[in-house]
Amino acid sequence: NPATTDWLNSSILLSQYLAEGMAKVMGSGFIVDDVPYTDGSLAVNRMSDMPSSLLELGFLTNKADSIILANTVNQDELARQIADGIDRYFGY
């Protein structure tokens, strides 16, 4: 329950770490400055009592994103950045 735990703040921190990693590959627009869903109402994480984040790597319908996502080197780097963001969240 976001009202009785630190779920929201922890989720925002995790999301920021993940977004910073994504920005290294996808561009600077991936930074989390403001989280519009502060009530925890996203269907993918509303029942969670642990930190959670919805991470969209890009959109294949966006030509620039599609070019980046089609490159296997970028795919490997995105996976590495996700792992690094999770490690950073846990203090590794």
Side-chain angles (χ1 to χ4, degrees):
N1 181 345
T4 60
T5 67
D6 197 29
W7 168 86
L8 181 59
N9 290 330
S10 297
S11 294
I12 291 170
L13 182 63
L14 173 62
S15 295
Q16 287 172 332
Y17 289 157
L18 293 172
E20 288 169 7
M22 296 304 95
K24 293 177 183 176
V25 181
M26 299 299 293
S28 61
F30 249 78
I31 301 301
V32 176
D33 291 324
D34 186 21
V35 178
Y37 301 103
T38 56
D39 63 354
S41 65
L42 292 173
V44 296
N45 62 6
R46 82 169 62 127
M47 299 302 289
S48 176
D49 61 355
M50 63 186 136
S52 58
S53 180
L54 172 63
L55 182 62
E56 295 177 342
L57 302 180
F59 298 94
L60 295 177
T61 55
N62 177 303
K63 186 170 178 128
D65 287 354
S66 182
I67 291 169
I68 293 169
L69 293 170
N71 183 306
T72 57
V73 172
N74 291 334
Q75 293 169 11
D76 289 343
E77 186 59 23
L78 286 166
R80 186 175 359 273
Q81 291 299 331
I82 292 169
D84 288 351
I86 294 169
D87 284 347
R88 185 175 170 203
Y89 173 81
F90 284 108
Y92 296 120

